[in-house]
Amino acid sequence: MVTFHGTTLPSRLMLGTAQYPSPSVLAEAFRRSGAGVATVSVRREAAGGEAGAFWDLVRELGVRLLPNTAGCHSSREAVTTARMARELFGTNWIKLEVIGHADTLQPDPWGLVEAARELCADGFEVFPYTTEDLVLAEKLLDAGCEVLMPWGAPIGTGLGLANRYGLRSLRAQFPDVPMVVDAGLGRPSQAAEAMEMGFDAVLLNTAVARAEDPAAMAEGFARAVEAGRLGYEAGAMEPRDMAAPSTPLIGKAFLA
Ligand SMILES: CC(=O)[C@@H](O)[C@H](O)COP(=O)(O)O
């Protein structure tokens, strides 16, 4: 269980709702994952024409909805989209994406902070999609964000944790801020690694939706997230350079 903005969720896995081969595969993937949160792109789906049916489907998943501003390239666009999402889904939760770079889909730091400040002041509970940049993290917290969503790697790449040093530093600098590693995860082992680092949850989409068997992959991620969290809570040993015998010498046979 994990708590964000005062809401306790049954799982540390959050899943996206795009790119599945069919609505029934999407529903089965959610069922097998036990995911506590579904994120849904307001702009993308609104442009699709069958938005109503799709939104009914995600509402029926029975999980907490986290609308997102995917596809927004300015703070103005993101704020407008967030307000539309609040009306559509009746939630103050918003995953804030303000894309700043066409190739990497890297967030625009200035636009992100500006939109976060406006939305927090307007009563939203903002989950900002950010990089591992420490200064940007500080500015987002100053703007009123209580949760951060650093990227693992650029969206849709499946590269895993591209900057481990940066992510470890971010986790260490803000130990009390709930953080979700979002985007770029391609394999369950990468999700486990993020959880072992002490992140509170992971959010992913492409790796499950584009797997040969999305429902099985969703379950694989769910197990990895649990294993990684357990490993973190159990307190892992420190790695060391020199060998240390793991078999005790006491009781060893004495040869004359
Ligand atoms: C669905 C969503 O919100 C994406 O923008 C998210 O960042 C997931 O990225 P991946 O598809 O790389 O998992």
Side-chain angles (χ1 to χ4, degrees), residues 16 39 68 95 97 129 154-157 182-185 203-206:
T39 184
N68 68 59
K95 175 165 123 70
E97 286 188 30
Y129 170 63
I155 296 169
T157 60
D182 170 20
L185 300 181
L203 190 154
L204 56 117
N205 189 158
T206 309

Side-chain angles (χ1 to χ4, degrees), residues 47-124:
E50 292 182 7
F54 179 76
W55 287 330
D56 286 346
L57 172 74
V58 295
R59 283 192 191 95
E60 284 162 13
L61 293 173
V63 300
R64 177 84 197 211
L65 293 187
L66 175 59
N68 68 59
T69 64
C72 293
H73 290 258
S74 71
S75 62
R76 181 76 2 246
E77 213 180 348
V79 167
T80 305
T81 304
R83 290 192 173 129
M84 197 196 299
R86 179 159 67 181
E87 284 191 21
L88 271 169
F89 294 106
T91 176
N92 282 336
W93 280 21
I94 191 75
K95 175 165 123 70
L96 180 61
E97 286 188 30
V98 182
I99 299 304
H101 190 262
D103 292 339
T104 61
L105 302 180
Q106 182 167 338
D108 165 5
W110 293 271
L112 185 63
V113 172
E114 193 179 317
R117 186 173 297 112
E118 191 167 341
L119 290 172
C120 290
D122 192 18
F124 281 89

Side-chain angles (χ1 to χ4, degrees), residues 171-256:
R171 183 65 289 180
Q173 288 290 323
F174 304 98
D176 300 325
V177 176
M179 288 191 207
V180 183
V181 171
D182 170 20
L185 300 181
R187 292 161 194 275
S189 56
Q190 297 160 350
E193 188 179 359
M195 299 308 297
E196 284 175 10
M197 283 183 182
F199 288 96
D200 298 275
V202 297
L203 190 154
L204 56 117
N205 189 158
T206 309
V208 165
R210 292 300 208 204
E212 281 178 27
D213 183 342
M217 186 59 85
E219 186 177 334
F221 268 100
R223 292 189 196 186
V225 165
E226 274 188 29
R229 181 65 192 183
L230 203 52
Y232 170 71
E233 287 173 359
M237 65 172 281
E238 284 302 319
R240 45 180 288 153
D241 288 332
M242 300 302 290
S246 51
T247 309
L249 297 176
I250 303 161
K252 196 174 156 196
F254 177 74
L255 301 177

Side-chain angles (χ1 to χ4, degrees), residues 110-192:
W110 293 271
L112 185 63
V113 172
E114 193 179 317
R117 186 173 297 112
E118 191 167 341
L119 290 172
C120 290
D122 192 18
F124 281 89
E125 294 176 319
V126 177
F127 294 70
Y129 170 63
T130 182
T131 63
E132 61 286 303
D133 189 289
L134 299 177
V135 180
L136 177 52
E138 189 77 62
K139 302 274 182 215
L140 288 167
L141 297 173
D142 286 349
C145 296
E146 294 176 16
V147 175
L148 297 176
M149 284 192 138
W151 64 355
I155 296 169
T157 60
L159 288 171
L161 307 181
N163 181 355
R164 288 178 174 76
Y165 167 76
L167 285 169
R168 269 199 300 273
S169 302
L170 183 68
R171 183 65 289 180
Q173 288 290 323
F174 304 98
D176 300 325
V177 176
M179 288 191 207
V180 183
V181 171
D182 170 20
L185 300 181
R187 292 161 194 275
S189 56
Q190 297 160 350

